């Protein structure tokens, strides 16, 4: 009998077919209040689960006595209680690497569209307000030859650095838990303190994972350190930013603009002040959302799942200390 696994997000048929070669797959294209009871029932005998966003904590794990592996189809894993999983000997995996280039594209798009006010100018044209040559009130800011500060120089940060350095002749500053010598050598990135980065950068790009240490790491103090002409970009997690402090900084002109792909609450509430600000570009968490990349992520998650179920070490095991059963 094949081991039972649950896939709780929509995936391509080829991903389903791959997992079904070795596993009995219970498939949900998504979870909601209507099918969640059925999901919990199936979970009682499941050996593995694959998806993203589901909060996997003690409460859920108490209902999954046979679980061996939890596979996130995302690079982030703040939805997983890693300590609880480790205590139970359950493996956890994510999908780093395969989305670096695509997310970096999104970040550059946010930098360009925010600096050059592209969404705002698009609406001006489409609403019939472009009736004469534009004046200074419609001008934007240059991106090329500016200073880009990257908070979190991992794989995505390095991919952004490559684009910024060689595509736009930008100077790169970065702040990270440890030095990234490869980024320094390849892209001329200069390591500095967070305070110095915020003071000197024309663009501040936040790319840290969400942890207790990084939650609200960008707050009132940090925004006050930034230049009034600086633009803040966030493609990490919404909770890495004190959203009220960001709103205040934008309203008071402490920073020039913001480009956001993530929010504290997603989908974002309609009355969120950020949505009514012309100097804020907002995206619905599309960082890795291309057909090609999402397929790669799902297939990597499936590879992790099958490996773990078969007693092998998954390619991208989050917790190296967890022993494969």
């Amino acid at each position: 009998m094949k081991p039972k696994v649950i896939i709780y997000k929509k995936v391509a048929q080829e991903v389903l077919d791959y997992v079904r070669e070795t596993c009995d797959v219970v498939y949900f294209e998504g979870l909601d209040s209507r099918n969640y009871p059925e999901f919990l029932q199936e979970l009682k005998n499941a050996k593995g689960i694959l998806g993203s966003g589901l909060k996997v904590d003690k409460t859920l794990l108490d209902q999954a006595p046979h679980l061996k592996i939890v596979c996130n189809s995302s690079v982030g894993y703040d939805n997983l209680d890693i300590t609880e999983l480790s205590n139970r000997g359950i493996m956890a995996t994510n999908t780093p690497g395969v989305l670096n280039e695509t997310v970096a594209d999104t970040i550059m798009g946010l930098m360009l569209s925010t600096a050059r006010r592209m969404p705002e100018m698009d609406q001006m044209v489409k609403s019939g307000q472009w009736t004469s040559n534009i004046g200074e009130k419609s001008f934007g800011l240059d991106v090329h030859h500016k200073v880009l500060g990257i908070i979190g120089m991992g794989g995505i940060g390095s991919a952004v650095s490559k684009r910024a350095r060689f595509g736009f002749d930008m100077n790169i500053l970065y702040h990270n838990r440890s030095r990234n010598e490869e980024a320094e050598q390849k892209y001329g990135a200069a390591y500095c303190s967070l305070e110095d980065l915020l003071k000197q950068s024309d663009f501040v790009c936040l790319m840290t994972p969400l942890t207790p240490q990084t939650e609200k790491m960008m707050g009132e103090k940090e925004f006050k350190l930034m230049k009034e002409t600086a633009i803040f970009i966030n493609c990490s997690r919404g909770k890495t930013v004190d959203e009220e402090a960001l709103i205040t900084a934008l309203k008071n002109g402490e920073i020039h603009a913001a480009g956001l792909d993530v929010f504290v609450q997603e989908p974002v509430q309609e009355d969120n002040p950020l949505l009514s600000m012309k100097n804020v570009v907002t995206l619905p968490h599309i960082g890795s959302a291309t057909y090609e990349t999402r397929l790669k992520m799902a297939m990597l998650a499936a590879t992790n799942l099958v490996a773990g179920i078969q007693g092998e070490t998954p390619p991208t095991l989050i917790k190296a200390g967890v022993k494969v059963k």
Side-chain angles (χ1 to χ4, degrees):
M1 180 182 294
K2 293 180 179 180
K4 179 193 284 189
V5 300
I6 300 173
I7 296 178
Y8 64 89
K9 68 171 292 181
K10 187 174 182 179
V11 296
Q13 187 62 46
E14 62 189 273
V15 176
L16 274 176
D17 292 342
Y18 170 73
V19 179
R20 282 173 174 159
E21 290 178 5
T22 54
C23 301
D24 176 17
V25 178
V26 179
Y27 181 44
F28 300 90
E29 290 195 353
L31 296 179
D32 55 36
S33 58
R34 294 167 297 178
N35 62 15
Y36 195 69
E38 182 185 354
F39 166 77
L40 291 179
Q41 185 64 33
E42 298 289 355
L43 190 62
K44 292 178 180 179
N45 296 304
K47 297 291 184 67
I49 59 174
L50 183 156
S52 62
L54 178 67
K55 187 175 182 181
V56 179
D57 55 10
K58 183 180 185 301
T59 300
L60 186 77
L61 293 173
D62 283 343
Q63 302 179 69
H66 303 289
L67 204 62
K68 293 179 62 176
I69 185 167
V70 175
C71 300
N72 257 20
S73 185
S74 66
V75 65
Y77 51 90
D78 46 278
N79 61 305
L80 307 182
D81 187 332
I82 297 297
T83 300
E84 188 67 30
L85 287 164
S86 297
N87 290 340
R88 296 175 186 240
I90 300 172
M91 291 174 282
T93 71
N94 63 339
T95 58
V98 294
L99 48 65
N100 290 352
E101 300 294 335
T102 300
V103 176
D105 288 348
T106 303
I107 291 170
M108 294 306 300
L110 275 173
M111 289 172 58
L112 288 165
S113 60
T114 305
R116 299 301 305 273
R117 300 167 61 183
M118 291 181 181
E120 184 184 351
M121 296 300 102
D122 172 70
Q123 286 303 308
M124 181 183 75
V125 175
K126 289 177 178 176
S127 63
Q129 298 180 52
W130 185 30
T131 57
S132 61
N133 292 337
I134 65 168
E136 289 187 9
K137 68 177 183 178
S138 298
F139 287 0
L141 299 174
D142 281 334
V143 176
H144 63 86
H145 294 92
K146 294 293 182 70
V147 177
L148 169 61
I150 298 176
I151 305 171
M153 186 63 85
I156 297 172
S158 293
V160 172
S161 296
K162 178 176 64 177
R163 288 157 173 75
R165 181 69 186 92
F166 298 125
F168 295 87
D169 289 313
M170 299 182 81
N171 294 314
I172 313 296
L173 301 177
Y174 79 98
H175 180 74
N176 204 46
R177 287 177 297 178
S178 57
R179 298 282 288 267
N180 187 327
E181 294 183 3
E182 183 178 7
E184 293 177 10
Q185 295 170 2
K186 285 186 174 181
Y187 315 122
Y191 180 81
C192 64
S193 68
L194 178 60
E195 181 175 338
D196 286 343
L197 181 150
L198 295 172
K199 288 180 177 179
Q200 298 177 42
S201 298
D202 298 300
F203 295 85
V204 172
C205 177
L206 183 59
M207 279 312 307
T208 62
L210 176 61
T211 67
Q213 292 72 38
T214 63
E215 185 169 356
K216 292 187 177 181
M217 73 174 298
M218 285 296 297
E220 180 182 359
K221 173 187 174 183
E222 287 71 28
F223 288 120
K224 286 184 181 296
L225 287 171
M226 290 173 61
K227 299 178 181 180
E228 291 184 358
T229 55
I231 293 175
F232 175 68
I233 305 293
N234 189 14
C235 274
S236 58
R237 287 289 187 267
K239 291 183 179 180
T240 56
V241 176
D242 182 337
E243 209 162 83
E244 292 300 321
L246 172 60
I247 292 168
T248 299
L250 288 162
K251 283 182 176 179
N252 294 344
E254 294 169 8
I255 63 174
H256 182 72
L260 308 172
D261 188 39
V262 291
F263 300 85
V264 171
Q265 180 175 327
E266 297 180 3
V268 65
Q269 293 179 308
E270 292 181 4
D271 61 351
N272 189 316
L274 292 168
L275 302 187
S276 61
M277 295 181 175
K278 290 184 177 181
N279 59 338
V280 179
V281 176
T282 55
L283 298 178
H285 205 149
I286 64 165
S288 63
T290 66
Y291 290 110
E292 301 94 329
T293 295
R294 288 292 173 87
L295 177 58
K296 291 177 184 176
M297 292 168 66
M299 188 56 76
L300 176 54
T303 303
N304 283 325
L305 179 65
V306 171
I309 291 296
Q310 293 182 330
E312 302 170 359
T313 301
T316 53
L317 185 67
I318 293 171
K319 194 69 173 180
V322 175
K323 294 182 180 179
V324 177
K325 292 184 177 180

